[in-house]
Amino acid sequence: MVFHSILFERTEDSIKKETVEAPVFFADLNLDQIIDAITVGKQEYNLKPFFYTSLKDIDAIKYRHEIMRVLKIKFCLSI
């Protein structure tokens, strides 16, 4: 099995249409400040659309949850 992405299980599942602007509620929840802090100094990678674009496919959401579970386990074991 070839690894393609931590965000999408299959290459064809990648974002078809990026959301280039933050959703309106981001400012209300201060998520805009969090995303700005995460992406500072990394503008050349154009990371913000990954945070702005919501997933609609339940399998993609489950895949990301599984990735986070694995990362949490690996992180906790390395401490």
XYZ file of all heavy atoms in Angstrom:
657
model
N 0.840 -1.178 0.000
C 0.000 0.000 0.000
C 0.885 1.242 0.000
O 1.782 1.383 0.812
C -0.884 -0.020 1.235
C -1.844 1.108 1.326
S -3.020 0.685 2.632
C -3.613 2.254 3.058
N 0.600 2.162 -0.895
C 1.377 3.378 -1.039
C 0.691 4.506 -0.273
O -0.515 4.691 -0.367
C 1.498 3.763 -2.535
C 2.232 5.068 -2.695
C 2.184 2.659 -3.301
N 1.467 5.223 0.511
C 0.925 6.351 1.266
C 0.782 7.557 0.354
O 1.715 7.944 -0.331
C 1.858 6.690 2.433
C 1.422 7.914 3.183
C 0.373 7.840 4.082
C 2.045 9.127 2.985
C -0.042 8.961 4.781
C 1.646 10.245 3.674
C 0.599 10.162 4.572
N -0.418 8.164 0.345
C -0.663 9.329 -0.500
C -0.863 10.606 0.312
O -0.358 11.647 -0.048
C -1.905 9.115 -1.382
C -1.740 8.018 -2.361
N -0.970 8.126 -3.491
C -2.228 6.763 -2.377
C -0.997 6.998 -4.163
N -1.754 6.148 -3.502
N -1.636 10.500 1.369
C -1.988 11.713 2.100
C -2.465 11.395 3.512
O -3.133 10.388 3.728
C -3.098 12.451 1.350
O -3.601 13.518 2.107
N -2.152 12.274 4.424
C -2.679 12.149 5.778
C -4.100 12.720 5.839
O -4.865 12.425 6.736
C -1.751 12.859 6.785
C -2.089 12.435 8.204
C -1.809 14.354 6.617
C -1.075 12.873 9.224
N -4.475 13.538 4.850
C -5.792 14.163 4.841
C -6.852 13.354 4.108
O -8.023 13.427 4.442
C -5.709 15.555 4.200
C -4.834 16.569 4.930
C -4.768 17.865 4.141
C -5.354 16.811 6.322
N -6.441 12.609 3.092
C -7.390 11.859 2.274
C -6.903 10.443 2.068
O -5.741 10.222 1.735
C -7.587 12.539 0.916
C -8.089 13.941 1.046
C -7.228 15.015 0.925
C -9.424 14.192 1.311
C -7.682 16.319 1.059
C -9.890 15.489 1.445
C -9.016 16.554 1.323
N -7.803 9.480 2.238
C -7.450 8.081 2.097
C -7.097 7.732 0.657
O -6.162 6.995 0.390
C -8.612 7.215 2.583
C -8.283 5.743 2.655
C -9.366 4.946 3.354
O -10.492 5.452 3.517
O -9.067 3.816 3.754
N -7.865 8.286 -0.268
C -7.622 8.021 -1.694
C -7.299 9.336 -2.391
O -7.860 10.380 -2.056
C -8.864 7.388 -2.322
C -9.263 6.063 -1.692
C -10.540 5.539 -2.310
N -11.568 6.576 -2.360
C -12.737 6.512 -1.749
N -13.062 5.463 -1.030
N -13.615 7.488 -1.848
N -6.424 9.287 -3.371
C -6.031 10.476 -4.112
C -7.243 11.169 -4.717
O -7.351 12.394 -4.696
C -5.037 10.108 -5.231
O -3.963 9.381 -4.666
C -4.504 11.340 -5.929
N -8.193 10.394 -5.219
C -9.375 10.977 -5.862
C -10.314 11.677 -4.883
O -11.215 12.393 -5.290
C -10.152 9.925 -6.672
C -10.669 8.764 -5.867
C -9.712 7.577 -5.764
O -8.520 7.733 -6.078
O -10.172 6.509 -5.354
N -10.091 11.503 -3.584
C -10.924 12.153 -2.576
C -10.454 13.561 -2.227
O -11.128 14.272 -1.488
C -10.947 11.339 -1.277
C -11.662 10.020 -1.446
O -12.482 9.902 -2.368
O -11.394 9.107 -0.642
N -9.296 13.943 -2.753
C -8.745 15.248 -2.383
C -9.726 16.363 -2.736
O -10.672 16.181 -3.499
C -7.407 15.481 -3.074
O -7.590 15.511 -4.464
N -9.472 17.515 -2.183
C -10.381 18.648 -2.342
C -10.571 18.974 -3.819
O -9.614 19.232 -4.535
C -9.846 19.881 -1.588
C -9.787 19.595 -0.099
C -10.682 21.113 -1.886
C -9.143 20.702 0.705
N -11.821 18.973 -4.236
C -12.147 19.303 -5.628
C -12.218 20.818 -5.798
O -11.793 21.362 -6.786
C -13.495 18.688 -6.023
C -13.619 17.206 -5.764
C -12.688 16.379 -6.619
C -12.956 14.914 -6.481
N -12.085 14.168 -5.645
N -12.802 21.477 -4.803
C -12.929 22.927 -4.847
C -12.574 23.481 -3.472
O -13.270 23.241 -2.494
C -14.351 23.325 -5.226
C -14.527 24.811 -5.368
C -15.926 25.181 -5.789
C -15.983 26.687 -5.900
N -17.336 27.178 -5.999
N -11.480 24.187 -3.413
C -11.027 24.748 -2.150
C -11.864 25.955 -1.741
O -12.339 26.702 -2.582
C -9.576 25.219 -2.267
C -8.574 24.133 -2.432
C -7.162 24.678 -2.526
O -6.993 25.894 -2.764
O -6.240 23.886 -2.372
N -12.021 26.121 -0.458
C -12.620 27.332 0.089
C -11.454 28.246 0.444
O -10.659 27.925 1.319
C -13.439 27.001 1.355
O -14.400 26.005 1.020
C -14.125 28.221 1.898
N -11.328 29.354 -0.282
C -10.150 30.213 -0.101
C -10.317 31.270 0.983
O -9.349 31.883 1.397
C -9.734 30.881 -1.438
C -9.218 29.845 -2.411
C -10.877 31.662 -2.045
N -11.556 31.480 1.420
C -11.790 32.453 2.487
C -12.351 31.738 3.712
O -13.084 30.762 3.596
C -12.753 33.537 2.023
C -12.155 34.419 0.946
C -13.048 35.595 0.619
O -13.879 35.981 1.467
O -12.898 36.131 -0.477
N -12.027 32.261 4.864
C -12.507 31.673 6.117
C -14.030 31.771 6.190
O -14.603 32.790 5.803
C -11.892 32.402 7.299
N -14.678 30.717 6.671
C -16.127 30.798 6.883
C -16.452 31.924 7.872
O -15.621 32.292 8.703
C -16.472 29.433 7.497
C -15.369 28.526 7.059
C -14.144 29.399 7.000
N -17.639 32.470 7.780
C -18.032 33.623 8.587
C -17.878 33.363 10.082
O -17.443 34.245 10.826
C -19.509 34.013 8.311
C -19.721 35.487 8.568
C -19.936 33.676 6.912
N -18.187 32.162 10.528
C -18.156 31.862 11.958
C -16.741 31.743 12.526
O -16.568 31.730 13.738
C -18.940 30.578 12.258
C -18.377 29.345 11.615
C -17.367 28.619 12.233
C -18.861 28.909 10.391
C -16.836 27.480 11.644
C -18.338 27.768 9.801
C -17.326 27.054 10.422
N -15.722 31.670 11.675
C -14.353 31.541 12.168
C -13.988 32.702 13.093
O -13.369 32.496 14.130
C -13.360 31.451 11.005
C -13.011 30.053 10.618
C -13.978 29.071 10.469
C -11.695 29.697 10.398
C -13.647 27.779 10.108
C -11.350 28.407 10.044
C -12.324 27.448 9.897
N -14.347 33.919 12.716
C -14.020 35.092 13.537
C -14.756 35.040 14.877
O -14.178 35.373 15.913
C -14.364 36.372 12.788
N -16.014 34.606 14.858
C -16.789 34.513 16.103
C -16.153 33.553 17.104
O -16.217 33.767 18.309
C -18.220 34.038 15.819
C -19.015 35.046 15.012
O -18.646 36.238 15.022
O -20.002 34.640 14.373
N -15.557 32.484 16.602
C -14.948 31.461 17.468
C -13.443 31.663 17.641
O -12.760 30.836 18.242
C -15.214 30.069 16.883
C -16.689 29.686 16.736
C -16.823 28.365 15.992
C -17.338 29.586 18.105
N -12.925 32.757 17.078
C -11.485 33.055 17.085
C -10.658 31.992 16.364
O -9.450 31.877 16.592
C -10.963 33.256 18.512
C -11.520 34.514 19.137
O -11.718 35.523 18.455
N -11.788 34.465 20.422
N -11.310 31.229 15.511
C -10.582 30.224 14.736
C -9.653 30.882 13.725
O -8.610 30.316 13.383
C -11.558 29.280 14.022
C -12.382 28.381 14.937
C -13.423 27.618 14.138
C -11.493 27.430 15.709
N -9.992 32.071 13.263
C -9.125 32.785 12.335
C -7.765 33.061 12.969
O -6.728 32.910 12.321
C -9.779 34.076 11.846
C -10.196 35.006 12.983
O -10.399 34.536 14.127
O -10.325 36.217 12.724
N -7.751 33.402 14.247
C -6.491 33.653 14.946
C -5.671 32.369 15.110
O -4.443 32.381 14.992
C -6.771 34.259 16.319
C -7.422 35.624 16.242
C -7.818 36.139 17.605
O -7.189 35.818 18.609
N -8.859 36.966 17.653
N -6.369 31.279 15.369
C -5.682 29.988 15.523
C -5.052 29.564 14.202
O -3.881 29.175 14.168
C -6.656 28.915 16.047
C -7.109 29.274 17.463
C -6.025 27.526 15.997
C -8.250 28.441 17.991
N -5.814 29.669 13.118
C -5.300 29.281 11.799
C -4.151 30.192 11.397
O -3.150 29.731 10.845
C -6.420 29.310 10.733
C -7.571 28.379 11.123
C -5.878 28.956 9.358
C -7.178 26.963 11.449
N -4.257 31.472 11.685
C -3.155 32.398 11.393
C -1.891 31.990 12.145
O -0.798 31.998 11.584
C -3.537 33.836 11.755
C -4.531 34.444 10.783
O -4.714 33.898 9.675
O -5.144 35.479 11.146
N -2.032 31.623 13.410
C -0.881 31.217 14.219
C -0.263 29.917 13.699
O 0.960 29.761 13.685
C -1.283 31.058 15.679
N -1.106 28.999 13.265
C -0.613 27.714 12.759
C 0.144 27.884 11.444
O 1.146 27.223 11.210
C -1.791 26.729 12.560
C -2.371 26.313 13.909
C -1.363 25.503 11.757
C -3.672 25.537 13.801
N -0.337 28.799 10.607
C 0.222 28.916 9.259
C 1.258 30.022 9.095
O 1.811 30.181 8.005
C -0.916 29.137 8.235
O -1.634 30.327 8.578
C -1.858 27.958 8.205
N 1.538 30.767 10.174
C 2.515 31.850 10.064
C 3.868 31.294 9.603
O 4.331 30.259 10.079
C 2.643 32.642 11.391
C 3.316 31.823 12.477
C 3.401 33.931 11.175
N 4.441 31.954 8.613
C 5.732 31.526 8.070
C 5.636 30.362 7.099
O 6.649 29.877 6.617
N 4.435 29.925 6.803
C 4.252 28.786 5.891
C 3.334 29.149 4.719
O 2.679 28.282 4.140
C 3.666 27.593 6.652
C 4.537 27.127 7.809
C 3.825 26.048 8.609
C 4.657 25.598 9.772
N 4.549 26.469 10.936
N 3.287 30.417 4.363
C 2.381 30.892 3.327
C 2.601 30.198 1.978
O 1.653 29.987 1.232
C 2.508 32.410 3.134
C 1.931 33.218 4.273
C 2.832 33.293 5.497
O 3.968 32.844 5.496
N 2.319 33.867 6.570
N 3.829 29.812 1.688
C 4.119 29.179 0.393
C 3.422 27.832 0.223
O 3.272 27.340 -0.884
C 5.628 29.020 0.171
C 6.314 28.003 1.069
C 6.816 28.557 2.397
O 6.413 29.649 2.804
O 7.648 27.869 3.020
N 2.965 27.242 1.326
C 2.282 25.948 1.257
C 0.767 26.074 1.076
O 0.098 25.076 0.848
C 2.570 25.125 2.521
C 4.032 24.825 2.695
C 4.752 25.429 3.718
C 4.682 23.948 1.839
C 6.104 25.159 3.882
C 6.033 23.679 1.999
C 6.736 24.287 3.023
O 8.060 24.021 3.189
N 0.231 27.285 1.199
C -1.200 27.530 1.015
C -2.047 26.564 1.848
O -2.895 25.828 1.330
C -1.571 27.444 -0.469
C -2.942 27.989 -0.755
O -3.439 28.858 -0.050
N -3.585 27.457 -1.775
N -1.836 26.547 3.148
C -2.503 25.608 4.053
C -3.905 26.022 4.482
O -4.725 25.171 4.833
C -1.640 25.417 5.311
C -0.261 24.822 5.084
C 0.546 24.871 6.372
C -0.384 23.401 4.573
N -4.202 27.299 4.468
C -5.483 27.770 4.999
C -6.707 27.104 4.363
O -7.655 26.774 5.075
C -5.576 29.282 4.924
C -4.661 29.958 5.924
C -4.824 31.457 5.928
C -3.908 32.056 6.981
N -4.079 33.505 7.086
N -6.742 26.875 3.046
C -7.923 26.205 2.470
C -8.203 24.832 3.077
O -9.359 24.409 3.131
C -7.579 26.086 0.985
C -6.672 27.242 0.731
C -5.838 27.346 1.988
N -7.200 24.142 3.575
C -7.431 22.846 4.230
C -8.241 23.018 5.513
O -9.016 22.155 5.888
C -6.112 22.136 4.543
C -5.424 21.622 3.317
C -4.268 22.216 2.857
C -5.933 20.533 2.620
C -3.630 21.743 1.731
C -5.306 20.047 1.489
C -4.146 20.656 1.042
N -8.059 24.135 6.176
C -8.812 24.422 7.393
C -10.196 24.982 7.078
O -11.146 24.776 7.828
C -8.051 25.408 8.281
C -6.773 24.848 8.821
C -5.560 25.157 8.222
C -6.776 24.023 9.932
C -4.373 24.638 8.722
C -5.597 23.508 10.442
C -4.392 23.816 9.830
N -10.308 25.721 5.983
C -11.563 26.381 5.620
C -12.568 25.441 4.953
O -13.764 25.657 5.059
C -11.300 27.537 4.657
C -10.431 28.644 5.184
C -9.773 29.498 4.309
C -10.258 28.857 6.547
C -8.985 30.530 4.770
C -9.457 29.885 7.018
C -8.826 30.722 6.122
O -8.043 31.739 6.574
N -12.088 24.451 4.244
C -12.961 23.573 3.466
C -13.488 22.452 4.344
O -12.720 21.661 4.885
C -12.198 22.987 2.263
O -11.615 24.062 1.519
C -13.124 22.193 1.361
N -14.800 22.378 4.484
C -15.394 21.337 5.331
C -15.568 20.044 4.542
O -15.768 20.065 3.322
C -16.734 21.791 5.895
O -17.635 22.048 4.849
N -15.453 18.940 5.250
C -15.647 17.637 4.625
C -17.133 17.293 4.599
O -17.837 17.520 5.572
C -14.896 16.561 5.409
C -13.383 16.648 5.398
C -12.791 15.563 6.283
C -12.845 16.532 3.990
N -17.561 16.717 3.508
C -18.968 16.323 3.367
C -19.118 14.801 3.338
O -20.190 14.278 3.546
C -19.541 16.909 2.083
C -19.325 18.398 1.932
C -20.581 19.166 2.178
C -20.435 20.623 1.856
N -19.970 21.442 2.907
N -18.014 14.105 3.113
C -18.036 12.651 2.980
C -17.720 11.989 4.327
O -16.670 12.241 4.926
C -17.003 12.231 1.926
C -16.926 10.744 1.739
O -17.988 10.093 1.693
O -15.798 10.222 1.638
N -18.627 11.168 4.813
C -18.464 10.520 6.121
C -17.215 9.633 6.168
O -16.536 9.566 7.196
C -19.741 9.740 6.535
C -19.669 9.323 8.003
C -19.955 8.536 5.648
C -19.803 10.415 8.968
N -16.877 8.989 5.063
C -15.676 8.145 5.043
C -14.403 8.980 5.197
O -13.463 8.560 5.869
C -15.617 7.326 3.750
C -16.672 6.231 3.718
O -17.064 5.754 4.804
O -17.117 5.867 2.612
N -14.383 10.163 4.611
C -13.220 11.048 4.754
C -13.091 11.524 6.205
O -11.991 11.615 6.748
C -13.338 12.234 3.809
N -14.221 11.799 6.828
C -14.219 12.230 8.229
C -13.719 11.098 9.124
O -12.878 11.308 10.003
C -15.628 12.689 8.654
C -16.010 13.953 7.871
C -15.696 12.934 10.161
C -17.468 14.333 7.975
N -14.204 9.890 8.881
C -13.752 8.727 9.655
C -12.257 8.487 9.460
O -11.548 8.157 10.412
C -14.542 7.480 9.248
C -15.964 7.483 9.732
C -16.691 6.227 9.260
C -18.141 6.218 9.692
N -18.852 5.029 9.190
N -11.778 8.662 8.231
C -10.352 8.486 7.943
C -9.522 9.468 8.769
O -8.546 9.089 9.404
C -10.088 8.693 6.448
C -8.631 8.622 6.070
C -7.965 7.399 6.043
C -7.922 9.762 5.745
C -6.620 7.323 5.690
C -6.582 9.704 5.393
C -5.938 8.481 5.367
O -4.614 8.415 5.022
N -9.934 10.734 8.803
C -9.184 11.732 9.580
C -9.245 11.443 11.073
O -8.266 11.637 11.790
C -9.696 13.135 9.282
C -9.295 13.572 7.882
C -9.379 15.034 7.718
N -9.174 15.402 6.329
C -9.354 16.609 5.860
N -9.737 17.577 6.665
N -9.153 16.868 4.602
N -10.381 10.978 11.544
C -10.478 10.610 12.964
C -9.514 9.468 13.285
O -8.857 9.474 14.338
C -11.905 10.203 13.316
C -12.834 11.364 13.483
N -14.147 11.212 13.793
C -12.632 12.693 13.380
C -14.720 12.398 13.875
N -13.818 13.315 13.624
N -9.421 8.505 12.396
C -8.510 7.379 12.604
C -7.051 7.849 12.594
O -6.245 7.421 13.423
C -8.734 6.305 11.528
C -7.845 5.096 11.657
C -8.066 4.303 12.948
O -9.102 4.476 13.624
O -7.171 3.519 13.296
N -6.718 8.740 11.680
C -5.355 9.297 11.627
C -5.034 9.999 12.946
O -3.965 9.812 13.527
C -5.204 10.276 10.445
C -5.263 9.539 9.116
C -3.924 11.097 10.565
C -4.106 8.616 8.834
N -5.979 10.799 13.443
C -5.746 11.512 14.700
C -5.616 10.538 15.869
O -4.803 10.751 16.769
C -6.869 12.522 14.965
C -6.887 13.673 13.973
S -5.298 14.521 13.811
C -5.099 15.191 15.440
N -6.380 9.470 15.856
C -6.290 8.464 16.918
C -4.907 7.824 16.908
O -4.261 7.687 17.947
C -7.374 7.396 16.746
C -7.458 6.414 17.904
C -8.433 5.281 17.616
N -7.949 4.387 16.587
C -6.956 3.499 16.743
N -6.337 3.406 17.891
N -6.582 2.716 15.765
N -4.433 7.472 15.731
C -3.107 6.851 15.604
C -2.021 7.831 16.042
O -1.097 7.453 16.772
C -2.872 6.363 14.159
C -1.425 5.970 13.935
C -3.802 5.214 13.825
N -2.124 9.074 15.610
C -1.127 10.071 16.016
C -1.133 10.284 17.529
O -0.079 10.432 18.138
C -1.376 11.399 15.294
C -1.080 11.404 13.803
C -1.501 12.724 13.186
C 0.387 11.128 13.539
N -2.309 10.296 18.112
C -2.412 10.468 19.565
C -1.736 9.308 20.288
O -0.972 9.510 21.229
C -3.881 10.554 19.981
C -4.085 10.711 21.454
C -5.567 10.769 21.795
C -5.771 10.820 23.284
N -7.180 10.798 23.647
N -1.978 8.098 19.829
C -1.364 6.910 20.435
C 0.152 6.983 20.296
O 0.882 6.783 21.257
C -1.913 5.621 19.806
C -3.367 5.413 20.233
C -1.057 4.416 20.178
C -4.089 4.314 19.475
N 0.644 7.296 19.084
C 2.091 7.360 18.870
C 2.730 8.456 19.693
O 3.798 8.303 20.245
C 2.395 7.533 17.380
C 2.094 6.292 16.581
C 2.544 6.442 15.166
C 2.149 5.244 14.378
N 3.174 4.266 14.238
N 2.052 9.611 19.785
C 2.575 10.719 20.573
C 2.630 10.352 22.047
O 3.622 10.596 22.724
C 1.735 11.982 20.359
C 2.207 13.139 21.186
C 3.364 13.820 20.862
C 1.502 13.526 22.320
C 3.805 14.883 21.627
C 1.941 14.574 23.108
C 3.086 15.250 22.753
N 1.554 9.771 22.542
C 1.500 9.398 23.965
C 2.538 8.341 24.308
O 3.101 8.357 25.401
C 0.107 8.910 24.330
S -1.115 10.245 24.344
N 2.805 7.433 23.390
C 3.785 6.381 23.647
C 5.221 6.922 23.626
O 6.105 6.349 24.245
C 3.643 5.256 22.613
C 2.388 4.401 22.746
C 2.344 3.391 21.608
C 2.322 3.701 24.089
N 5.430 8.042 22.908
C 6.792 8.558 22.800
C 7.159 9.466 23.963
O 8.297 9.877 24.100
C 6.945 9.333 21.479
O 6.144 10.496 21.511
N 6.216 9.783 24.825
C 6.503 10.669 25.969
C 7.099 9.883 27.111
O 6.850 8.810 27.426
C 5.219 11.407 26.429
C 4.792 12.348 25.333
C 5.469 12.154 27.711
C 3.530 13.129 25.657
